Amino acid sequence: MVFFVQTHYLWHVKHYINVILPIPLEKSFTYAITNAEAEFLKPGMRVSVPFGKSKIYTALVIEIHTIAPLVYEAKDIHQILDDTPIMTPIQLEHWSWISKYYMCTLGEVMRAALPNAFILESETVISRKSDVEINDQDLEDDEFIVFEALHHQSSLKIQDLMAILDKKNVLPVIKRLLEKKVISVKEEIYEKYKPKLVRYVKLNSSYSSENELQQLLDDLSRAPKQRDVLMTLFSISAKTKAPVKVSELSAVSNASASVVKALIDKNILEEYHIQTDRIQYLGDVKEASKHLNKHQTCALDEITKSFEKQNITLFHGVTSSGKTEVYVKLIEEQLKRKQQVLYLLPEIALTTQLVERLQNYFGEQVVVYHSKYSSNERVEVWNNVLQNSPQAQVILGARSAVLLPFHKLGLVIVDEEHESSFKQFDPAPRYHARDTAIVLASMFKCKTVLGSATPSLESYYNAMQGKYGLVELNQRYNNVLMPEIELVDVKDKHKRKQMQGHFSDRLIEEMNETLKNGGQVILFQNRRGFSPIVECNSCGHSPQCPNCDVSLTFHQYRNQLRCHYCGYNVVLPKTCEACGSVEVDAKGLGTEQVEQEVKGLFPQYHVVRMDLDTTRGKHGYEKIITALEQGEIDILVGTQMLTKGLDFRNVKLVGVMNADNLLNFPDFRAHERSYQLMAQVSGRAGRTDERGKVLIQTYNPYHRILQQVSTNDYKQMYKEQLDDRHVYKYPPLFRMVRLTFKHKDYQKVNVGAEWYAKSLRMVFGQHVLGPEFPPVARIRNQYLKHILIKIPPGQSLVKTKEAIRKINTSFLSVKAYRSIRVVINVDN
């Protein structure tokens, strides 16, 4: 009897789930589920849930329990979207760390991590009420059109109505039809991911005997094209012993799709579909990895020894020292142990070159993940990583790859770890992929290698403090000398009239010599467009962006002025808008202008530009990099995309067009970044048997950073920069949190930021800087103001963030400040 009571009691226990919603909410939400759902559901599975008045969201289950929410009535879920979890417990723990450390919500981390196709949104569907009789005369014209359309289709989406009525705002029409009780409206969820299905054909089984087959061929004697297709099918099947694709059959038999369709319609051929991955490695058999030279072998041994004592090792190897081959040996070791490897790169341009190299060694085990992939392709990579499939043992990607659902992670490699592209700025989570990867590795209890020719001050400082191991490789591969770096004084060249446009006589001379000897040239200018400023020579007026506090950049290939912050563009005016003068000149230098000048100076050579404008397509980087590798390009002009670890065998000369605009940037990291950028771009020269040359054009050749670049003295740069950081209390000695206030009302931003700064000073005293307007104080019609909080070495980071959170809550609870957007950026 007691047993009966207990089971009876359990039967009435209500079950609930806590879920993360892909919206910026501080807390998780609780929903009610049935007993059967409670048995089936597991953390990491997706469910669709109602939220607010009518919205339906995809939510991630994080906990199943029996505690009802105290404050609100738990709603029921709509449906379960997965059979198995799409994420792992360690991944959930990792997301939780990101949300706490970078002061954002779990919903924001979820939105950043999951491929778009996983986050299903609801869509409004309109259907006609069958039980209502309506008189056509009661309806207005556009209402009647919708009513008629619903005769032919049972339901319509908002987008369908827009197309039918040819107007953007269809909500008034829907509202009127609802009032007249003609239609009903509901929210529906649609699965966004569609597997790729490939069409195959085979001979219908009714022609399996020889007699039937002979009869068929005789019947087809009047249709020679169809007969040829059939004979081609037999020959392909005999050769490959594999299913035959429709596309392959058409190509080999030179027949149109209609011929194949005719055979399918006659039931001679049977059509079927096979699901396939969108991303497949179709290369040849793997090649063995290269033998390391004695310096690389020594570095590999040192890394292995360092791993015995340290979990993180900084691998400081000069440019072209062969760091990638050392990584390959480390990867091989992990693959033998059946472990996954995460290989992070800062730039998509880099992945295109490295993918080929790694696939030559590891074949289909290498998988790539970055933002240029389509949503469906990213889902397939996600599933392969989650299932630990043989196609996802080496995961190569940009920063978002750190958020994938790893199964058995054995090693993390962060190449070019100094790169600022590893930091996500907008939207939240504003995480740093290098630091996030280190935490992920510690959760899997595996090792991390941070590689760079110019390590960030933070990483080198940690190595000097003994937190990281340090391994150095100071010898270039094949003992090639480091490139010879020459500083060209542009001010002096202008005085002596030795400049042609923006090119000094030295640069033209070296380019001529390099090109004559069959070498390639890279010219670096870190500004895209033709020129950053267009100015009237009569009155000095310069066209400004109406939405941002910046002058418009001239793009000659489209003959337009563009804003690089908000995308605003306008055709270049023929006269000055202020005084009407025709003397409007382009000032400053961008990659387009360098390209034009080079084409004028070297008309017989092939010149190509590589910047954001020329690499917008999915394979934009690949085309340019492949063309340069195959010697189709003589001179490549580009922005900082060129600097990041690319390996070009035949580049003998690198020219930096203007070093000064890098150095004079208002940021405490400007000098460190300038050194890294110039040292990296210099490293693209002379990577094989011959010493390369680098020419840096500058108005200030005696600048300390330029001198350090020319002598390749990283340690001297590190020492000087660290002294400066010590004096001014900046990272790596102090930690930083930057708060940005955004609002379209100038006065509101000022008052709100002042209130916030006063509150912060009451807690942190002198370590609060600001509020100050940044160099570009208005972007997209919103005014910006910054406050900087410096956190001394002994101060608790957790308690600091708690205090900031409390002040933030108080700030947003003041009605007047609620509309001000506060962006918190940790370790910016």
Side-chain angles (χ1 to χ4, degrees), residues 256-323:
S256 67
S258 59
V259 179
V260 179
K261 188 178 181 299
L263 287 165
I264 293 166
D265 291 344
K266 288 179 182 177
N267 283 333
I268 295 168
L269 294 183
E270 269 182 51
E271 181 185 29
Y272 62 105
H273 293 83
I274 297 178
Q275 188 175 325
T276 181
D277 271 5
R278 286 171 170 82
I279 304 159
Q280 290 177 317
Y281 172 63
L282 304 167
D284 300 326
V285 184
K286 291 183 285 187
E287 61 179 60
S289 59
K290 291 176 184 165
H291 284 293
L292 303 184
N293 63 26
K294 63 175 185 182
H295 304 293
Q296 288 170 313
T297 308
C298 185
L300 181 63
D301 293 343
E302 280 183 49
I303 291 171
T304 312
K305 270 184 206 156
S306 165
F307 280 163
E308 289 169 14
K309 295 176 190 168
Q310 301 277 12
N311 290 326
I312 306 153
T313 296
L314 177 62
F315 183 20
H316 180 197
V318 295
T319 53
S320 193
S321 55
K323 293 189 286 295

Side-chain angles (χ1 to χ4, degrees), residues 427-440:
R430 294 171 180 82
Y431 66 100
H432 198 299
R434 176 195 62 213
D435 303 341
T436 308
I438 288 170
V439 172
L440 181 69

Side-chain angles (χ1 to χ4, degrees), residues 46 348 531 564 778:
R46 291 174 307 151
I348 299 166
S531 60
H564 288 176
R778 185 173 58 107

Side-chain angles (χ1 to χ4, degrees), residues 756-758 760-771 787-790:
Y756 210 116
K758 271 181 193 165
L760 287 169
R761 281 199 183 90
M762 285 162 77
V763 182
F764 303 114
Q766 60 180 22
H767 294 306
V768 178
L769 301 185
I787 295 176
L788 214 55
I789 304 164
K790 293 181 177 178

